[in-house]
Amino acid sequence: MDAPLPSSRTGSSDRASSRLELAVLLHLGLFLLLLSWGFGGNAPWSRQAACAWGTVGGVITLAALRDSEMRQRARRWLWPLALLNLIVFVSLFNPTMREMSLDGEVLYAKTGGQAGWPGTAQPDASRSALWLFDGILLSCFNLLLVVRQRRNLRRLLLFAGGNALVLAVFGTVQKFVKAKGLYFGLVPSPQTYFFSSFIYHNHWGAFTVLMVALCLGLVAHYARRSERDFWHSPAPSGLVAVFFLAVSIPLSTSRSCTLLVLFLLGGAFVHWIVRTLRHRRGHGGSFAGPLLLGTVAMFVAGGIAFKLAQPVIEQRLAKTEEQVAEMRAQGGLGQRAVLYRDTWHMAQDRLAFGWGMASYPRVFYLYNTQRPGIDRLPFFYFDAHSDWLQSVAELGLIGTLLLGLQGLVPLLSLAGHRPGLLACYLWAGCGLVLLYAWVEFPFGNPAVVFAWWLCFFAGLRYTRLEGRSAES
């Protein structure tokens, strides 16, 4: 029989684990600030800083792997990421495009590369994109690997919700004063529809859907813990945050994300009704009073939100009617349908491994069948406006499958664990953004990528810790 470890050695190990856990939380908090306030990570300097800061997350992962239990977890859950890295690494040595110069203009021609092997049209872009993706994913994966206390996870989520609230208020004030650029006009925006510190309104919308789900999860958690003293718990503050975050989405002019957050809020309201009904039945109380109060509160909050965003909502409704009329005249979905068709043709030519990570802008112009309009300006697309379709075009079916498995493999490890309310709300937000990615490109924004993996791994870790607490 093995002798027990000396208490001094056990205490030293616990202190080291606590320091590592603190390092993970501080690192993620600063990462969130960098990406969310640094134009969503879509400015060159903020993307480079995110790559460097993400490397620190990788170093923390390596430090955690000195523990045998953590090494075992990493082997079980990170093998899809390892295989994806291998594919992208091999592609760097198999260029599929060649740069040419004609009359001083730079052109690119297909060379095909080595058939049957991963390749890339833009090795430098693939290398940089993989660096950023690995840094974000490993940094968030550290939650699953290192964090041992649920209250620390809640603190991180509270910080994320508070940061999102400040961003929403900042963006709302910026909108009302009609700022011509980011940071009250100090920084020109390449997009007309910007909001807060985000260059593109739909990126802000996707980020905020995740943050609304996060705040609703915290509200549900604290409300359940403080049913008898609801107003002295953090839950009312969470509802205030949800209100301002939800209002900011229509103010940002993001129509699709407005629908997503309405669906999320509607689901939360139904969930509250069901839980209240069960609670009242269990205690013999009346259900009519809380239902009436909750319904009135929803209508009042909705009325205030509509009043605040009314000019923007009416403007976007008029734009929607105009676009629908154009689609009817064309007899289809217009330019978007052509874009998807051309992207699928691009993907079909290298269906197994794709054209290379982050290679879409360089390759797609060869497949773009849209001709210049009456203004004679060509259509140029940096994104496919469908992250799923673009992933197949860039990484192929194999790379896209590995991306999906990187989320699915650790999720399947929860067999036998019953997720709590907080985790369910976090994953509801993740699921909505995944659905949204079929018709837009939310994952083209590093802040959205970070927020998605943060919510996903936080939900996983919280569920595992709840299960451990129940067992003990």
Side-chain angles (χ1 to χ4, degrees), residues 32 35 87 143 180 188 209 218 258 284 308 323 395 402 418:
L32 178 63
L35 288 172
I87 289 174
L143 288 175
K180 300 300 182 181
V209 166
L218 289 170
T258 298
L308 288 172
Q323 290 174 337
L395 299 173
L402 290 172
R418 183 179 178 181

Side-chain angles (χ1 to χ4, degrees), residues 346-357:
M346 171 185 164
Q348 285 179 307
D349 281 353
R350 294 185 64 89
L351 197 56
F353 295 107
W355 287 92
M357 198 173 202

Side-chain angles (χ1 to χ4, degrees), residues 70-145:
M70 294 182 186
R71 282 199 303 273
Q72 186 178 4
R73 290 182 202 163
R75 282 196 298 267
R76 289 203 313 266
W77 298 332
L78 281 182
W79 61 265
L81 179 65
L83 289 179
L84 180 64
N85 272 258
L86 178 62
I87 289 174
V88 177
F89 180 76
V90 171
S91 75
L92 300 178
F93 301 95
N94 187 27
T96 56
M97 300 281 285
R98 180 165 58 92
E99 186 176 301
M100 302 172 58
S101 180
L102 180 64
D103 296 331
E105 184 178 356
V106 177
L107 301 174
Y108 297 94
K110 288 193 291 185
T111 61
Q114 187 66 35
W117 286 85
T120 178
Q122 203 168 1
D124 289 343
S126 296
R127 189 182 301 110
S128 177
L130 183 65
W131 184 11
L132 179 61
F133 178 75
D134 282 351
I136 288 175
L137 191 142
L138 288 175
S139 296
C140 296
F141 180 77
N142 287 336
L143 288 175
L144 186 58
L145 199 62

Side-chain angles (χ1 to χ4, degrees), residues 29 33 83 111 155 180 295 300 331 340 428:
L33 291 176
L83 289 179
T111 61
R155 287 168 180 167
K180 300 300 182 181
T295 303
V300 170
Y340 290 163

Side-chain angles (χ1 to χ4, degrees), residues 42-351:
N42 276 346
W45 69 265
S46 62
R47 189 174 287 258
Q48 292 167 3
C51 287
W53 194 240
T55 303
V56 177
V59 172
I60 294 175
T61 305
L62 291 175
L65 295 183
R66 291 181 300 176
D67 181 270
S68 59
E69 182 183 350
M70 294 182 186
R71 282 199 303 273
Q72 186 178 4
R73 290 182 202 163
R75 282 196 298 267
R76 289 203 313 266
W77 298 332
L78 281 182
W79 61 265
L81 179 65
L83 289 179
L84 180 64
N85 272 258
L86 178 62
I87 289 174
V88 177
F89 180 76
V90 171
S91 75
L92 300 178
F93 301 95
N94 187 27
T96 56
M97 300 281 285
R98 180 165 58 92
E99 186 176 301
M100 302 172 58
S101 180
L102 180 64
D103 296 331
E105 184 178 356
V106 177
L107 301 174
Y108 297 94
K110 288 193 291 185
T111 61
Q114 187 66 35
W117 286 85
T120 178
Q122 203 168 1
D124 289 343
S126 296
R127 189 182 301 110
S128 177
L130 183 65
W131 184 11
L132 179 61
F133 178 75
D134 282 351
I136 288 175
L137 191 142
L138 288 175
S139 296
C140 296
F141 180 77
N142 287 336
L143 288 175
L144 186 58
L145 199 62
V146 173
V147 174
R148 301 183 302 170
Q149 299 185 53
R150 285 177 292 170
R151 68 171 176 267
N152 282 339
L153 276 174
R154 291 196 298 271
R155 287 168 180 167
L156 178 63
L157 296 176
L158 284 167
F159 176 79
N163 175 68
L165 174 61
V166 175
L167 281 166
V169 173
F170 171 74
T172 300
V173 175
Q174 189 173 249
K175 188 78 175 182
F176 282 145
V177 301
K178 299 182 179 179
K180 300 300 182 181
L182 297 157
Y183 288 94
F184 293 97
L186 293 177
V187 182
S189 174
Q191 280 279 348
T192 304
Y193 297 117
F194 63 90
F195 190 83
S196 191
S197 59
F198 283 64
I199 294 172
Y200 186 48
H201 61 164
N202 284 338
H203 289 159
W204 166 257
F207 177 83
T208 308
V209 166
L210 289 165
M211 293 298 105
V212 168
L214 180 153
C215 290
L216 286 172
L218 289 170
V219 168
H221 168 79
Y222 287 113
R224 187 180 61 174
R225 283 183 52 183
S226 311
E227 288 181 349
R228 296 183 179 179
D229 197 15
F230 175 85
W231 297 107
H232 290 88
S233 72
S237 300
L239 290 176
V240 172
V242 167
F243 173 79
F244 281 103
L245 287 169
V247 170
S248 73
I249 297 182
L251 277 175
S252 73
T253 69
S254 178
R255 293 168 293 182
S256 49
C257 289
T258 298
L259 295 177
L260 289 179
V261 81
L262 285 175
F263 180 82
L264 185 60
L265 292 174
F269 186 64
V270 171
H271 173 247
W272 173 79
I273 290 176
V274 171
R275 286 190 62 85
T276 304
L277 180 59
R278 289 176 180 173
H279 177 75
R280 290 285 170 167
R281 281 180 177 175
H283 292 78
S286 173
F287 176 64
L291 177 60
L292 178 62
L293 183 62
T295 303
V296 170
M298 280 286 291
F299 274 103
V300 170
I304 294 173
F306 178 79
K307 196 64 179 178
L308 288 172
Q310 185 175 0
V312 177
I313 292 173
E314 291 175 347
Q315 176 189 1
R316 297 304 286 171
L317 283 175
K319 182 66 176 177
T320 301
E321 291 174 357
E322 178 184 334
Q323 290 174 337
V324 170
E326 290 178 359
M327 289 180 188
R328 287 176 177 172
Q330 296 173 0
L333 295 178
Q335 295 177 355
R336 186 64 66 91
V338 177
L339 172 62
Y340 290 163
R341 182 196 65 201
D342 293 343
T343 301
W344 175 239
H345 289 162
M346 171 185 164
Q348 285 179 307
D349 281 353
R350 294 185 64 89
L351 197 56

Side-chain angles (χ1 to χ4, degrees), residues 383-445:
D383 298 278
H385 289 264
S386 170
D387 281 329
W388 288 94
L389 193 54
Q390 184 167 335
S391 177
V392 176
E394 291 186 341
L395 299 173
L397 292 176
I398 295 175
T400 302
L401 176 63
L402 290 172
L403 272 179
L405 286 174
Q406 185 51 68
L408 188 61
V409 167
L411 189 62
L412 291 177
S413 71
L414 291 180
H417 292 76
R418 183 179 178 181
L421 290 175
L422 179 53
C424 287
Y425 273 103
L426 290 172
W427 293 337
C430 291
L432 287 174
V433 174
L434 281 179
L435 289 174
Y436 184 47
W438 282 101
V439 295
E440 259 297 343
F441 58 109
F443 295 114
N445 180 271

